[in-house]
Amino acid sequence: MYNRFSNVFDSSWWCNMLKITDDILINRVGIYDTYIKGKQYYNSGRVREVRSNSDYDYFTGSVHGSSVYTTTVNFNDYGNIASTSCSCQAFKNFSGDCKHIVALLMKIRQY
């Protein structure tokens, strides 16, 4: 379904359509500290290899921490976050988005 990827940084018109505010990110994490850690990951350049499908409603990226984690974000037609996933244990064991997803969303928002 999402096998056609393009370099996210080739075009940035789509960024204005996506809703990725700090308030939204904070509300999506279970613990505020997770938001802070995700912001630190983003600021330290741990988000790499970000790609999107041609509709810019599906993004995937590698976030480097104690391991390399695969993170994904899906947006709906209104630019809202529809779903997220991460290969880390925290995402599997706790409710809310993990720091890796926060970092990926901040990287997407950058453009």
Side-chain angles (χ1 to χ4, degrees), residues 4 10 20 24-25 29 44 74 76-77 79-80 88 92 97 99-100:
R4 289 193 72 217
D10 289 345
I20 312 172
I24 289 170
L25 296 179
V29 298
S44 63
N74 289 293
N76 64 20
D77 292 341
N80 297 310
C88 76
K92 295 172 187 154
D97 288 338
K99 62 188 172 188
H100 309 108

PDB file of all heavy atoms in Angstrom, residues 4 10 20 24-25 29 44 74 76-77 79-80 88 92 97 99-100:
ATOM      1  N   ARG A   4       5.622   3.317  -2.428  1.00  0.00           N
ATOM      2  CA  ARG A   4       6.278   4.406  -3.153  1.00  0.00           C
ATOM      3  C   ARG A   4       6.661   5.485  -2.161  1.00  0.00           C
ATOM      4  O   ARG A   4       5.810   6.166  -1.608  1.00  0.00           O
ATOM      5  CB  ARG A   4       5.348   4.989  -4.207  1.00  0.00           C
ATOM      6  CG  ARG A   4       5.130   4.044  -5.368  1.00  0.00           C
ATOM      7  CD  ARG A   4       4.492   4.750  -6.522  1.00  0.00           C
ATOM      8  NE  ARG A   4       5.486   5.632  -7.104  1.00  0.00           N
ATOM      9  CZ  ARG A   4       5.187   6.835  -7.590  1.00  0.00           C
ATOM     10  NH1 ARG A   4       3.983   7.282  -7.581  1.00  0.00           N
ATOM     11  NH2 ARG A   4       6.143   7.576  -8.102  1.00  0.00           N
ATOM     12  N   ASP A  10      12.247  16.865  -0.394  1.00  0.00           N
ATOM     13  CA  ASP A  10      12.131  17.349  -1.767  1.00  0.00           C
ATOM     14  C   ASP A  10      11.053  18.421  -1.903  1.00  0.00           C
ATOM     15  O   ASP A  10      11.084  19.227  -2.807  1.00  0.00           O
ATOM     16  CB  ASP A  10      11.794  16.203  -2.728  1.00  0.00           C
ATOM     17  CG  ASP A  10      12.968  15.261  -2.918  1.00  0.00           C
ATOM     18  OD1 ASP A  10      14.099  15.639  -2.559  1.00  0.00           O
ATOM     19  OD2 ASP A  10      12.743  14.153  -3.408  1.00  0.00           O
ATOM     20  N   ILE A  20       0.740  19.414  13.742  1.00  0.00           N
ATOM     21  CA  ILE A  20       1.750  18.896  14.668  1.00  0.00           C
ATOM     22  C   ILE A  20       2.192  20.045  15.579  1.00  0.00           C
ATOM     23  O   ILE A  20       3.251  20.618  15.405  1.00  0.00           O
ATOM     24  CB  ILE A  20       2.976  18.319  13.916  1.00  0.00           C
ATOM     25  CG1 ILE A  20       2.567  17.386  12.792  1.00  0.00           C
ATOM     26  CG2 ILE A  20       3.906  17.609  14.896  1.00  0.00           C
ATOM     27  CD1 ILE A  20       3.722  16.937  11.911  1.00  0.00           C
ATOM     28  N   ILE A  24      -0.483  19.321  20.824  1.00  0.00           N
ATOM     29  CA  ILE A  24      -0.906  18.005  20.330  1.00  0.00           C
ATOM     30  C   ILE A  24       0.094  16.942  20.766  1.00  0.00           C
ATOM     31  O   ILE A  24      -0.295  15.868  21.244  1.00  0.00           O
ATOM     32  CB  ILE A  24      -1.084  18.025  18.804  1.00  0.00           C
ATOM     33  CG1 ILE A  24      -2.326  18.845  18.431  1.00  0.00           C
ATOM     34  CG2 ILE A  24      -1.172  16.607  18.238  1.00  0.00           C
ATOM     35  CD1 ILE A  24      -2.477  19.126  16.951  1.00  0.00           C
ATOM     36  N   LEU A  25       1.372  17.221  20.619  1.00  0.00           N
ATOM     37  CA  LEU A  25       2.399  16.248  21.012  1.00  0.00           C
ATOM     38  C   LEU A  25       2.339  15.949  22.506  1.00  0.00           C
ATOM     39  O   LEU A  25       2.419  14.791  22.920  1.00  0.00           O
ATOM     40  CB  LEU A  25       3.790  16.748  20.616  1.00  0.00           C
ATOM     41  CG  LEU A  25       4.057  16.898  19.119  1.00  0.00           C
ATOM     42  CD1 LEU A  25       5.458  17.427  18.890  1.00  0.00           C
ATOM     43  CD2 LEU A  25       3.843  15.597  18.400  1.00  0.00           C
ATOM     44  N   VAL A  29       1.386  12.004  24.511  1.00  0.00           N
ATOM     45  CA  VAL A  29       2.292  11.186  25.341  1.00  0.00           C
ATOM     46  C   VAL A  29       1.618  10.892  26.680  1.00  0.00           C
ATOM     47  O   VAL A  29       0.800  11.664  27.162  1.00  0.00           O
ATOM     48  CB  VAL A  29       3.662  11.864  25.556  1.00  0.00           C
ATOM     49  CG1 VAL A  29       4.381  12.068  24.236  1.00  0.00           C
ATOM     50  CG2 VAL A  29       3.520  13.195  26.280  1.00  0.00           C
ATOM     51  N   SER A  44      19.021  16.717  19.154  1.00  0.00           N
ATOM     52  CA  SER A  44      20.370  16.153  19.036  1.00  0.00           C
ATOM     53  C   SER A  44      20.579  15.394  17.728  1.00  0.00           C
ATOM     54  O   SER A  44      21.611  14.747  17.544  1.00  0.00           O
ATOM     55  CB  SER A  44      20.677  15.259  20.242  1.00  0.00           C
ATOM     56  OG  SER A  44      19.801  14.157  20.290  1.00  0.00           O
ATOM     57  N   ASN A  74       0.838   7.994  10.575  1.00  0.00           N
ATOM     58  CA  ASN A  74      -0.187   8.143   9.535  1.00  0.00           C
ATOM     59  C   ASN A  74      -1.034   9.364   9.858  1.00  0.00           C
ATOM     60  O   ASN A  74      -1.401   9.569  11.018  1.00  0.00           O
ATOM     61  CB  ASN A  74      -1.113   6.917   9.509  1.00  0.00           C
ATOM     62  CG  ASN A  74      -0.435   5.700   8.976  1.00  0.00           C
ATOM     63  OD1 ASN A  74      -0.095   5.646   7.815  1.00  0.00           O
ATOM     64  ND2 ASN A  74      -0.226   4.725   9.829  1.00  0.00           N
ATOM     65  N   ASN A  76      -4.626  11.598   8.715  1.00  0.00           N
ATOM     66  CA  ASN A  76      -5.883  11.465   7.978  1.00  0.00           C
ATOM     67  C   ASN A  76      -6.011  12.597   6.958  1.00  0.00           C
ATOM     68  O   ASN A  76      -5.100  13.425   6.817  1.00  0.00           O
ATOM     69  CB  ASN A  76      -7.077  11.410   8.935  1.00  0.00           C
ATOM     70  CG  ASN A  76      -7.278  12.690   9.732  1.00  0.00           C
ATOM     71  OD1 ASN A  76      -6.807  13.768   9.369  1.00  0.00           O
ATOM     72  ND2 ASN A  76      -7.983  12.566  10.845  1.00  0.00           N
ATOM     73  N   ASP A  77      -7.126  12.648   6.273  1.00  0.00           N
ATOM     74  CA  ASP A  77      -7.337  13.651   5.221  1.00  0.00           C
ATOM     75  C   ASP A  77      -7.378  15.085   5.740  1.00  0.00           C
ATOM     76  O   ASP A  77      -7.282  16.025   4.968  1.00  0.00           O
ATOM     77  CB  ASP A  77      -8.633  13.367   4.469  1.00  0.00           C
ATOM     78  CG  ASP A  77      -8.552  12.099   3.639  1.00  0.00           C
ATOM     79  OD1 ASP A  77      -7.426  11.642   3.345  1.00  0.00           O
ATOM     80  OD2 ASP A  77      -9.619  11.553   3.288  1.00  0.00           O
ATOM     81  N   GLY A  79      -5.254  16.205   8.094  1.00  0.00           N
ATOM     82  CA  GLY A  79      -3.935  16.549   8.621  1.00  0.00           C
ATOM     83  C   GLY A  79      -3.739  16.184  10.074  1.00  0.00           C
ATOM     84  O   GLY A  79      -2.721  16.536  10.675  1.00  0.00           O
ATOM     85  N   ASN A  80      -4.695  15.476  10.657  1.00  0.00           N
ATOM     86  CA  ASN A  80      -4.566  15.023  12.046  1.00  0.00           C
ATOM     87  C   ASN A  80      -3.810  13.702  12.092  1.00  0.00           C
ATOM     88  O   ASN A  80      -3.902  12.891  11.162  1.00  0.00           O
ATOM     89  CB  ASN A  80      -5.941  14.833  12.678  1.00  0.00           C
ATOM     90  CG  ASN A  80      -6.720  16.125  12.754  1.00  0.00           C
ATOM     91  OD1 ASN A  80      -6.211  17.131  13.226  1.00  0.00           O
ATOM     92  ND2 ASN A  80      -7.946  16.107  12.275  1.00  0.00           N
ATOM     93  N   CYS A  88      10.083   0.233  19.566  1.00  0.00           N
ATOM     94  CA  CYS A  88      10.654   0.182  20.920  1.00  0.00           C
ATOM     95  C   CYS A  88       9.706  -0.508  21.909  1.00  0.00           C
ATOM     96  O   CYS A  88       8.499  -0.595  21.677  1.00  0.00           O
ATOM     97  CB  CYS A  88      11.004   1.588  21.410  1.00  0.00           C
ATOM     98  SG  CYS A  88       9.590   2.592  21.921  1.00  0.00           S
ATOM     99  N   LYS A  92       5.219  -0.475  23.063  1.00  0.00           N
ATOM    100  CA  LYS A  92       4.443  -1.703  23.246  1.00  0.00           C
ATOM    101  C   LYS A  92       3.878  -1.823  24.656  1.00  0.00           C
ATOM    102  O   LYS A  92       2.810  -2.396  24.856  1.00  0.00           O
ATOM    103  CB  LYS A  92       5.315  -2.915  22.931  1.00  0.00           C
ATOM    104  CG  LYS A  92       5.739  -2.979  21.486  1.00  0.00           C
ATOM    105  CD  LYS A  92       6.751  -4.078  21.250  1.00  0.00           C
ATOM    106  CE  LYS A  92       7.250  -3.968  19.812  1.00  0.00           C
ATOM    107  NZ  LYS A  92       8.563  -4.511  19.647  1.00  0.00           N
ATOM    108  N   ASP A  97       2.187   7.989  22.916  1.00  0.00           N
ATOM    109  CA  ASP A  97       3.351   7.942  22.032  1.00  0.00           C
ATOM    110  C   ASP A  97       4.640   7.929  22.836  1.00  0.00           C
ATOM    111  O   ASP A  97       4.720   8.490  23.927  1.00  0.00           O
ATOM    112  CB  ASP A  97       3.348   9.137  21.081  1.00  0.00           C
ATOM    113  CG  ASP A  97       2.280   9.031  20.008  1.00  0.00           C
ATOM    114  OD1 ASP A  97       1.824   7.905  19.728  1.00  0.00           O
ATOM    115  OD2 ASP A  97       1.914  10.072  19.452  1.00  0.00           O
ATOM    116  N   LYS A  99       9.004   8.595  23.040  1.00  0.00           N
ATOM    117  CA  LYS A  99       9.905   9.701  22.700  1.00  0.00           C
ATOM    118  C   LYS A  99      10.374   9.629  21.255  1.00  0.00           C
ATOM    119  O   LYS A  99      10.620  10.658  20.623  1.00  0.00           O
ATOM    120  CB  LYS A  99      11.093   9.735  23.650  1.00  0.00           C
ATOM    121  CG  LYS A  99      11.976   8.497  23.602  1.00  0.00           C
ATOM    122  CD  LYS A  99      13.012   8.511  24.706  1.00  0.00           C
ATOM    123  CE  LYS A  99      13.763   7.194  24.779  1.00  0.00           C
ATOM    124  NZ  LYS A  99      14.619   7.144  25.972  1.00  0.00           N
ATOM    125  N   HIS A 100      10.468   8.440  20.696  1.00  0.00           N
ATOM    126  CA  HIS A 100      10.921   8.284  19.309  1.00  0.00           C
ATOM    127  C   HIS A 100       9.889   8.850  18.336  1.00  0.00           C
ATOM    128  O   HIS A 100      10.241   9.498  17.345  1.00  0.00           O
ATOM    129  CB  HIS A 100      11.190   6.808  19.009  1.00  0.00           C
ATOM    130  CG  HIS A 100      12.068   6.162  20.025  1.00  0.00           C
ATOM    131  ND1 HIS A 100      11.587   5.249  20.934  1.00  0.00           N
ATOM    132  CD2 HIS A 100      13.376   6.330  20.305  1.00  0.00           C
ATOM    133  CE1 HIS A 100      12.577   4.860  21.730  1.00  0.00           C
ATOM    134  NE2 HIS A 100      13.671   5.504  21.372  1.00  0.00           N
TER     135      HIS A 100
END
